[in-house]
Amino acid sequence: MGTEDKATRMFNNTFVRPEKFYLSGFSNIPHIRYFYTFLCLVYIMTVLGNCFLLSLISLVKTLHTPKYMIVFNMALTDLCGSTALIPKLLDTFLFDRRYILYDACLSYMFFVMFFASVQSWTLVTMAYDRLIAICFPLRYHSIVTETSVAAILLFVWIFLVSVIATMVGLVNRVSFCRSLVVNSFFCDHGPVYRLACNDTSLNYNMASALITILIIIPLIFIIATYVCIFIALSRTTSRKERIRALKTCTSHLILVVMFFLPIGITNIATRASYIHPNARMINSTLTHTIPALLDPIIYALKKEEVMNAVKKLCKRTYLNCMKAKTRPCNHCCIKS
């Protein structure tokens, strides 16, 4: 009985909360260390790519536009999302520290789910930007302003903080008196709340609502946006204009497919048939990490404005270096 008292904490004689959870992810996978090494490289490249993009947008004034405010938000979210997940994942499994404190587990859940949700809605904001640019080109600069984009992004962050905080708060309102083994690679919402021994109907409803908010509504909005875009382009007589307009959407469409397709396949496969837990976890890990790595390459670095900004920044840095080198020589000449 003494051991049980240490393992759990009683609050108001109602809620039983464990001291720790045990993360059982990636069990019995041969050569799994290679996968951890791969994730480590992915994280390093993600940090470098997104930090470079954030610095570039901050330093180059020509990129201080509403469109690049959204790209800045995307890069920041990708960086924070990867940082919330990968370092802790590597610490847990690479160094075999699978036990995680109860409060730390809920924090882990909050940050991973929150940044994944923001990534989803950032893609929606990008779709809105493309919709106005193609369907209402003459009114674009009056509709998509820095103020309007900042208001949209602020609303997204506040709304999603509220939703994810509610989800985590509901997990905190159930008792855990069965197994403390979480069958996932992080403190995922579903595997954690299913360990509860009392009524979890609210948690189930919240999980369904989260899928709707994170996947279904964004997808519906993005599909509706592109339907409107294709209708608008079909009315354009010039074939060149159609191709040029569609080219501005290709990067965004690739990101949408990269983000939503793996999530959709995993969810459908889980419900329609049996999928091995390890296969599901590896697919889910890649879904959380690979888009953050590729986003700055696909969406930003192939854009002409960004490449011009890179050249401008390199030229400015080179000129500053040359000035710094010539200053001492000029000083010497004056002295002599």
Side-chain angles (χ1 to χ4, degrees), residues 154-170:
L154 185 63
F155 171 78
V156 165
W157 279 66
I158 292 170
F159 172 69
L160 292 174
V161 162
S162 306
V163 170
I164 305 300
T166 304
M167 180 195 77
V168 174
L170 289 173

Side-chain angles (χ1 to χ4, degrees), residues 260-293:
F260 288 106
L261 192 63
I263 296 173
I265 289 170
T266 305
N267 278 285
I268 292 165
T270 304
R271 283 161 175 74
S273 61
Y274 175 76
I275 179 170
H276 195 279
N278 284 335
R280 179 182 59 79
M281 280 185 267
I282 287 172
N283 183 60
S284 187
T285 308
L286 295 175
T287 302
H288 278 280
T289 55
I290 297 300
L293 169 68

Side-chain angles (χ1 to χ4, degrees), residues 2 59 78 85 102 108 115 152 193 197 199 203 208 232 282 290-291 304 308 331 333 336:
L59 293 170
D78 287 343
L85 178 67
Y102 176 82
Y108 196 11
F115 288 116
I152 291 167
Y193 88 75
C197 52
D199 182 32
N203 302 88
S208 302
I282 287 172
I290 297 300
E304 193 178 341
N308 288 337
H331 183 64
C333 291
S336 59

Side-chain angles (χ1 to χ4, degrees), residues 30 47 73 78 87 92 98 104 108-109 114 122 127 150 164 168 184 191 199 205 255 287 298 306 309 331:
V47 170
N73 184 74
D78 287 343
T92 302
R98 291 173 179 256
Y108 196 11
M109 181 192 299
F114 169 68
T122 301
I164 305 300
V168 174
S184 185
D199 182 32
N205 292 335
L255 296 190
T287 302
I298 292 171
V306 177
H331 183 64

